[in-house]
Amino acid sequence: QVQVVESGGGVVQAGGALRLSCTASGRTGSTASMGWFRQAPGQDREFVAAITWSGSDTYYANSIKGRFTISRLNAKNTVYLQMDNLRPEDTAVYYCAAAFYGPALTDYRVASQARTYDYWGQGTQVTVSS
């Protein structure tokens, strides 16, 4: 059974930074492509960033491009989301997701779709105060 666990959320002032971590465990010998999504109150879940299983390609939503950076440690299916210059509109629950079986993350369309991912974490709250 694969488990996806996020950590690193919290409360920060506008302009500050946070780093989220996520580990997908329970499936040895396989490396997953990983993604981050977020959901603000009253809004749909939206794509934030994704990284291929090899780490060679990354994808970002326009709203966070240049401020957030996704990276990974391949050996442990661990991914990070470094969030800099945070804004109040970044306040949301952030979800990590792992794709073991689906299509390769060959383009933004595939990487940004929730249905690409097979396993999801419970989410971690990020609150940015103005």
Side-chain angles (χ1 to χ4, degrees):
Q1 182 70 21
V2 175
Q3 284 191 317
V4 179
V5 180
E6 310 99 333
S7 63
V11 180
V12 64
Q13 288 190 330
L18 283 174
R19 189 173 87 152
L20 305 183
S21 300
C22 170
T23 297
S25 60
R27 185 173 171 85
T28 58
S30 297
T31 305
S33 294
M34 308 283 283
W36 287 97
F37 290 72
R38 68 186 183 185
Q39 187 168 19
Q43 297 187 23
D44 294 333
R45 190 172 299 190
E46 65 174 1
F47 172 73
V48 175
I51 188 166
T52 54
W53 67 271
S54 65
S56 61
D57 294 295
T58 56
Y59 303 92
Y60 296 97
N62 286 334
S63 60
I64 56 86
K65 197 174 291 184
R67 299 188 296 121
F68 292 10
T69 304
I70 190 170
S71 59
R72 69 180 302 152
L73 289 177
N74 261 4
K76 297 186 181 295
N77 272 332
T78 296
V79 64
Y80 304 101
L81 186 68
Q82 176 66 41
M83 305 186 295
D84 298 318
N85 192 21
L86 282 160
R87 304 168 180 170
E89 54 263 39
D90 295 318
T91 295
V93 177
Y94 283 71
Y95 297 91
C96 179
F100 283 97
Y101 312 115
L105 300 191
T106 54
D107 56 36
Y108 180 89
R109 182 185 61 82
V110 175
S112 63
Q113 292 179 333
R115 64 184 181 187
T116 294
Y117 301 87
D118 309 297
Y119 301 97
W120 292 79
Q122 293 299 306
T124 185
Q125 177 70 46
V126 172
T127 302
V128 184
S129 61
S130 57

